[in-house]
Structure formats: structure tokens, C-alpha cells
Amino acid sequence: MIPSLTATDAGNADACIDTLARPLEDLRLSVIDQCNFRCAYCMPKDVFTRDYPFLRAAERLSFEEMITLARTFVGLGVKKIRITGGEPLLRKDLPRLVEALARLETPAGKPVEIAMTTNGALLAAQARALKDAGLARVTVSLDALDDHVFRAMNDVDFPVARVLDGIDAALAAGLAPLKVNAVVKKSRNAHQILPLARHFRHSSVNLRFIEYMDVGGADGWALGEVVTAAEMRTLIEREFALVPQPGRASDTATGFRYADGGGEVGFIASVSKPFCGDCTRARVSADGKLFLCLFAGRSLDLRPWLRAGQTGQLEQAIRAGWRARTDRYSEQRGALRASGAGRRYPVVRMSLVGG
Ligand code: SAM
């Protein structure tokens, strides 16, 4: 059943609440569509070649445009901004953007939380400057501990040790607790689940395992390659007892703590238990297109208003877009898969819109 707006929301002309009663609270801001990795589930080498038409620098939003955009979103209810990509650390001078974003305040005068998702390859050199600029949290993607498996998965022969150095540098800079996200693909890294769990127990790292999704980029996706969150949890529980943790409704991960005090671990069941009911996230691509869902086929180009300095119209357009939002693609795609329809729906590239 589709929940209707409450009387209070409906009576508030400024409220930014969609047709399924979900408020706009999070912004994922992609700063670049390029990446230095070629993970087959996201940016496969045969598609993302040297000739691939990545955005040219002039097509990307400038930092000033991103700051205007972020300020507008914060005025509409956003409390948390996650910087993503592509690989965000490839964008030059990123601390300058972080510094400006970290100065934003919500209409209630509270600071906006600035977070970032990165593959960690360039983190060791930049962690301190990012922390000093006001970055509050960082999530590092890491799919394997075994160097051979990791090099094969990133498909550019990048050594795992340098990502681990990046994680250590981030922790040393005070970016703790830090999250590590591992995407699990049955034939590639299912055997890395336990080594990753063992490695990050008793550390300031909150490890989360993500089900392999059929997002844009994952061209050869097959249900048989998905290890479900329940299967991953069972595997870990063979070695370590887990206790469920209560979480925020809009949290993407189901959280657990190790019963012996070894820290936390989580599972993101984006395929086996798609969650759209509490999705409060808007996404903006590096060229300024607003996507209301990770799987949206359509977007709204915000650049014309940004480039013309028409912030009032920009705000109206975002508000109107969010209020008309009906997206619940993950749930709908689950139904399609159950009917055996396969992937016949259009998908936006994850590297463009950010994870
Ligand atoms: N380059 C950054 C990074 O590696 O974290 C940020 C962008 S990346 C697109 C964001 C996240 O999306 C990563 O954690 C990545 O593992 C995840 N991701 C990409 N393709 C995926 C897929 N097919 N299934 C599940 N997660 C995926």
C-alpha cells in the first residue's frame, strides 16, 4: 500500500516529501565519472576503454556549482552529503570542496555530515588533508584481502597493500569509525568473506558485505553469482556468534556485532531483500543530472539553472522532482527477476551516478 502524506506534510508548502512519504535527507554527489580501477561488476575493461566518452572537464560541475547545489539541497532537508564517483580522489583539489561543504548548516543550524566513498587507492596521501578540511567519515571499497584476488578484481593489477595503507592512514587521521564495503561475487571472491571478517575484527573498521547488484555497468550480471546476505551471515556465524544491532530506518545495511566484543559487521541485501521504503537519497552525477534512484533511467539536468545562477528555479525544480518521486525500482526489479524476465530494463551507469 502506498502511504499518503501526513496532514502536517501536506499542509507545509515547503516540505520535500515524495509520493511514498519519504523525506529528502541524503545527497550523493558524484564529482567525476572516471575511475582508476576496472572492476568487472562496475566498469568492465572491454566497455570502459581508452576511447570511452568520459565527461570532459568542462562538462563536469565546478566546485562552485557543486557548493551552490549542495546549499540548495541542504535548504530542502538534506543532512548528509556523500562525495562519490567514479573515483572521487581523482578529482583535483578535493579538500577544497570538502572544506566548503563542511561549512554548510541545516535550516535548524546543525552541521551537515560530509562523507566519502572511495576505492582507497589514493587515500594514504590524502586522508589527513581531507580530515583537516572537515570530512567526517569515509567508506572504502575492498573486495578481497588476498593480493592475487584483489589485483584480478580491480583488473588494473593494483596491490591490496596500498588500499590497506589508505585505511590505516584514514584511521590515523581520525576518520574513524571507518566503513569497508565488500561486493561479493560468487565465482570471484566468496572465499574472501571470512578472511575479510577476521582481518577487520577488533579494529575501528565496520565491515559490510554487499550483494552483487545488476546495476548499469554490471553487464554480465546473473542471479547465480549473487551470494545472499543470509548466506554470508551464516558463513560468518560458523566461526563467530553475531548479535543483531538496531539501526536507523534508512540504513542500507543490517548491522550485527560480534558477541565476543570484536566489533561490528553488516550486510547489504540489495538483491535478496530490496529496500526502497525508507530511501531518502538523491543522487547528482558529475555533470549535474539529478537521479532520484540508483536504477533510474531518467534524470533532470540541473546545470542550466546552475550556470544561469537561477537558484530559486533550481530549488523549485528539485522540490517538484522530489515531490513527484515514485521510484522503487529495486523492489520492482525483484518482482521482474522472480518472474524470470531477466534484465530488460534500462539502467544508468553506476560510475556516472555514484554508488
Ligand atoms: N570509486 C568509489 C569506490 O570504489 O568506492 C566510489 C564509486 S563506486 C561506484 C561505489 C560503490 O559501488 C563501491 O562500493 C562498489 O563496490 C559499489 N558497486 C559498484 N558496482 C556494484 C555492483 N554491481 N553491485 C554491488 N555494488 C557495486
Side-chain angles (χ1 to χ4, degrees):
M1 200 187 79
I2 296 177
S4 55
L5 296 184
T6 64
T8 334
D9 300 329
N12 179 356
D14 291 335
C16 214
I17 305 208
D18 75 5
T19 62
L20 302 176
R22 300 169 295 190
L24 170 58
E25 289 184 346
D26 301 87
L27 172 64
R28 301 230 166 160
L29 185 59
S30 173
V31 292
I32 191 163
D33 64 334
Q34 297 184 35
C35 187
N36 41 358
F37 283 8
R38 284 293 177 272
C39 308
Y41 57 71
C42 186
M43 294 182 74
K45 231 177 195 169
D46 53 337
V47 176
F48 294 85
T49 58
R50 213 176 267 278
D51 302 325
Y52 188 84
F54 287 108
L55 296 173
R56 283 174 286 115
E59 291 174 290
R60 297 197 293 251
L61 295 186
S62 67
F63 283 172
E64 284 62 35
E65 287 166 336
M66 287 183 189
I67 294 158
T68 302
L69 197 61
R71 189 178 298 118
T72 307
F73 272 97
V74 168
L76 289 168
V78 161
K79 301 180 175 82
K80 180 171 160 189
I81 300 176
R82 179 170 291 278
I83 298 170
T84 180
E87 172 46 42
L89 294 180
L90 289 178
R91 182 87 192 232
K92 285 201 183 71
D93 268 347
L94 201 60
R96 189 164 71 80
L97 175 68
V98 171
E99 198 175 347
L101 295 179
R103 270 193 242 118
L104 295 175
E105 285 187 348
T106 67
K110 296 211 171 111
V112 176
E113 185 180 85
I114 311 300
M116 191 179 71
T117 302
T118 170
N119 61 27
L122 303 171
L123 188 57
Q126 299 194 42
R128 169 62 60 189
L130 289 164
K131 170 70 182 170
D132 291 347
L135 188 71
R137 287 142 68 86
V138 65
T139 299
V140 178
S141 306
L142 174 67
D143 301 334
L145 263 193
D146 178 279
D147 191 50
H148 183 70
V149 177
F150 185 72
R151 285 177 190 254
M153 285 194 80
N154 62 54
D155 214 7
V156 293
D157 206 29
F158 196 88
V160 72
R162 284 178 50 198
V163 176
L164 294 173
D165 286 348
I167 292 172
D168 287 345
L171 291 174
L175 287 164
L178 179 149
K179 285 183 192 157
V180 164
N181 280 351
V183 175
V184 179
K185 199 172 164 186
K186 194 173 276 176
S187 62
R188 300 302 293 268
N189 63 333
H191 60 299
Q192 292 295 296
I193 294 174
L194 271 171
L196 281 163
R198 290 183 199 122
H199 183 84
F200 289 114
R201 273 166 44 81
H202 297 289
S203 71
S204 308
V205 170
N206 180 355
L207 174 65
R208 291 127 41 103
F209 292 100
I210 309 180
E211 292 177 358
Y212 169 44
M213 293 188 283
D214 55 339
V215 284
D219 286 338
W221 186 88
L223 190 55
E225 279 289 351
V226 178
V227 183
T228 66
E231 289 166 340
M232 298 193 246
R233 178 183 159 187
T234 304
L235 183 69
I236 293 179
E237 280 188 313
R238 274 194 219 141
E239 198 164 315
F240 307 109
L242 296 176
V243 182
Q245 291 265 79
R248 232 181 21 139
S250 61
D251 281 351
T252 46
T254 311
F256 292 83
R257 65 180 168 77
Y258 293 104
D260 65 358
E264 293 179 18
V265 64
F267 304 93
I268 303 182
S270 24
V271 177
S272 63
K273 278 200 191 136
F275 37 85
C276 300
D278 299 304
C279 178
T280 54
R281 284 179 289 280
R283 296 164 193 274
V284 175
S285 58
D287 57 346
K289 299 208 170 70
L290 170 65
F291 291 84
L292 298 174
C293 173
L294 182 54
F295 300 99
R298 286 180 307 143
S299 62
L300 175 66
D301 190 358
L302 303 175
R303 249 183 336 185
W305 293 294
L306 274 170
R307 301 228 150 142
Q310 296 169 332
T311 45
Q313 283 96 324
L314 177 71
E315 186 184 280
Q316 272 173 30
I318 298 170
R319 183 187 285 114
W322 188 267
R323 286 181 147 199
R325 181 181 187 239
T326 55
D327 308 58
R328 40 184 287 274
Y329 289 107
S330 280
E331 291 172 358
Q332 289 164 339
R333 289 141 53 86
L336 263 181
R337 275 193 297 269
S339 73
R343 186 164 114 183
R344 284 197 210 126
Y345 28 81
V347 276
V348 62
R349 284 186 286 125
M350 185 120 160
S351 54
L352 179 69
V353 77

